Amino acid sequence: NIRAVYLVKRDLDRIIKDFSKNKSEYDWMLPAIMGDESRLKKAAKMVQVKSEYLYKEAKKYNLKIFNTDTNFGQKLRDAQNYLLR
């Protein structure tokens, strides 16, 4: 069996706030947006728009969705547990 999950972020203000807190060296977008408020907001909007699309499509096909706006670490563990069961 193949399983997939969809991780989404829908709250624009929280996305912006979380981007600002991110310090991960593995984040491919971070170097391009940090220190540039306009780019940060555009990147956050892109994440929100893509997430809304994924949310709508996943709902339509009854696919598993995890909204990571809050409790990010726990939502990742929940997704992992779903995939491994």
Side-chain angles (χ1 to χ4, degrees):
N1 286 345
I2 297 175
R3 291 179 189 223
V5 298
Y6 293 86
L7 305 175
V8 299
K9 288 184 169 290
R10 302 176 75 194
D11 182 331
L12 184 60
D13 291 332
R14 184 168 287 279
I15 296 167
I16 292 169
K17 180 181 165 192
D18 289 348
F19 270 166
S20 299
K21 292 188 313 186
N22 188 4
K23 304 290 186 242
S24 174
E25 65 184 272
Y26 301 108
D27 188 330
W28 63 272
M29 197 179 336
L30 196 60
I33 64 172
M34 292 315 289
D36 187 326
E37 190 71 21
S38 174
R39 284 185 183 179
L40 186 135
K41 287 180 179 178
K42 287 177 184 176
K45 185 64 177 174
M46 183 229 11
V47 168
Q48 181 193 39
V49 167
K50 299 292 184 186
S51 288
E52 287 299 332
Y53 174 78
L54 289 171
Y55 182 86
K56 184 179 97 178
E57 291 298 305
K59 273 285 209 209
K60 181 168 46 174
Y61 295 105
N62 199 32
L63 301 171
K64 191 68 172 165
I65 306 163
F66 291 90
N67 184 335
T68 61
D69 280 330
T70 58
N71 301 316
F72 184 76
Q74 182 59 52
K75 298 290 177 58
L76 289 182
R77 286 187 292 279
D78 293 345
Q80 182 181 34
N81 289 336
Y82 173 81
L83 290 169
L84 294 175
R85 66 181 174 140

